Amino acid sequence: MEETEVLSGAGVVKEKLARLAVGTYIVWLRDLKNFWRDTMRRIGAIVQPLIYLFLLGTGLEAAFQVFGGGDTEYVTFMYPGIVAMTVLFTSMFSAISIIWDREFGFLKEMMVAPMPRSSLALGKVLGGATTALLQGIILLVLMPLVGIPYTLEKIFLMLLVMIVISLGLTSMGVLIASRMRSFEGFPIVMNFILLPMFFLSGAMFPLQDLPGWMDVLTKVNPMTYGVDALRGAALKGIEITSTSALQIPPDLMAKLTEAGVQMPQTPMLQNQVYPLWMSLVIVTGFGLLMLFLAVWRFSRQE
């Protein structure tokens, strides 16, 4: 009798896991099909990373040269930040499909379907993360154009970091979207969260010699560790230096040297501030927390 009850209990657990897996797969597949059938979204997925990399990167490189210059092109230093920016915005804004489904009643139909509600959250997270990862891979293909050579180690590490970042950020977007009811409010809230996360992540500038208050904000920002891991993986073996904007003529430099005047050394910028394992642990922990909260929130939906 007890053995029968144990087998029966195991069968119930197996059935629940099967429903969870099927429900997650269906929601994930639906989101991917919606993305692939939308021609403008497909075009945007290809063009948007290129705009970020070449227009934004080239424009800021000119400003970087004016205010300091450097031995390495600024777009090379900025490249991991652009990858993180692409993954960040795509992951978070992919959750707007939840509001769309709620507006047209499809979300309510899915919630009364014979599958766990957690599968809705998991499917949405995987769908948004997959879309963000695809856009990140487009930039990964363009890596040699910014002066970063391919290696299997770099590709593997960058893919690993992008997967972890996209899952965590999509979970955060799903959590926020599950509490919202209007299309108009979602972009406002997202930009209020995304822009500080991006600008405080070190994507645009090195995290060195910052004011104390900004240093604290960068340390509590999970994107800081994601960008740092991406930069450490992409720029491994590449020295990033910056030089003074003041160009001293060679003859004057020789006289200064003869007079015993010591010129400041070319500062070396750190490719990676934190150890890779530490960044991965923090980003993974953040992602698991957001995923847990998103699943919990969906289980309480009415």
Side-chain angles (χ1 to χ4, degrees):
M1 182 66 178
E2 293 180 357
E3 183 178 355
T4 303
E5 291 178 353
V6 171
L7 292 176
S8 178
V12 171
V13 172
K14 185 177 181 180
E15 182 180 357
K16 288 183 177 180
L17 291 176
R19 289 184 178 182
L20 177 66
V22 171
T24 301
Y25 172 74
I26 290 174
V27 176
W28 170 80
L29 184 62
R30 174 179 177 268
D31 280 5
L32 282 190
K33 285 186 175 181
N34 287 340
F35 167 76
W36 187 253
R37 290 171 180 171
D38 192 335
T39 304
M40 296 306 299
R41 284 186 67 187
R42 292 205 313 271
I43 295 175
I46 298 174
V47 175
Q48 187 181 38
L50 302 181
I51 292 176
Y52 286 157
L53 181 61
F54 293 109
L55 295 186
L56 183 60
T58 304
L60 289 176
E61 181 177 1
F64 182 79
Q65 291 175 348
V66 169
F67 289 106
D71 298 334
T72 306
E73 290 186 2
Y74 178 62
V75 70
T76 303
F77 172 81
M78 188 181 173
Y79 168 78
I82 294 295
V83 175
M85 178 182 179
T86 302
V87 174
L88 170 67
F89 280 80
T90 305
S91 298
M92 296 284 273
F93 276 99
S94 65
I96 199 172
S97 63
I98 295 176
I99 303 177
W100 181 273
D101 291 339
R102 180 183 289 111
E103 185 77 12
F104 291 95
F106 186 75
L107 182 62
K108 184 175 292 185
E109 294 180 4
M110 289 194 296
M111 294 181 69
V112 299
M115 61 182 183
R117 290 187 175 184
S118 56
S119 63
L120 300 178
L122 292 174
K124 288 291 183 182
V125 169
L126 291 177
T130 302
T131 304
L133 185 62
L134 290 175
Q135 288 194 283
I137 290 175
I138 294 174
L139 287 174
L140 199 62
V141 174
L142 302 175
M143 194 160 58
L145 298 182
V146 297
I148 303 176
Y150 281 136
T151 66
L152 290 177
E153 182 183 9
K154 287 184 179 182
I155 294 174
F156 172 77
L157 289 177
M158 290 193 70
L159 283 175
L160 176 62
V161 176
M162 283 192 292
I163 290 172
V164 175
I165 293 176
S166 60
L167 288 172
L169 294 175
T170 307
S171 299
M172 184 177 179
V174 169
L175 173 63
I176 296 172
S178 66
R179 299 183 60 89
M180 303 199 67
R181 296 292 185 272
S182 67
F183 290 107
E184 294 79 9
F186 185 79
I188 296 175
V189 173
M190 283 292 101
N191 285 324
F192 179 75
I193 297 174
L194 291 179
L195 293 180
M197 287 183 66
F198 172 68
F199 286 116
L200 290 172
S201 67
M204 313 289 288
F205 51 83
L207 299 178
Q208 295 176 227
D209 301 323
L210 298 177
W213 63 270
M214 184 176 288
D215 186 57
V216 172
L217 292 177
T218 59
K219 283 181 169 58
V220 299
N221 179 16
M223 275 302 296
T224 298
Y225 304 94
V227 171
D228 189 66
L230 283 173
R231 182 167 287 133
L235 303 184
K236 187 175 183 180
I238 300 177
E239 293 184 350
I240 303 296
T241 59
S242 62
T243 58
S244 172
L246 179 62
Q247 300 297 323
I248 302 177
D251 55 343
L252 179 57
M253 177 66 76
K255 292 180 180 180
L256 292 173
T257 302
E258 292 177 0
V261 177
Q262 294 185 354
M263 301 304 297
Q265 297 294 321
T266 299
M268 186 74 66
L269 303 180
Q270 293 178 285
N271 292 353
Q272 194 169 5
V273 180
Y274 306 101
L276 179 60
W277 68 266
M278 176 181 174
S279 298
L280 285 175
V281 168
I282 292 176
V283 176
T284 302
F286 169 77
L288 291 175
L289 175 62
M290 291 296 104
L291 180 60
F292 170 79
L293 293 176
V295 172
W296 172 79
R297 179 60 191 173
F298 257 87
S299 65
R300 295 173 60 88
Q301 287 280 352
E302 296 180 359

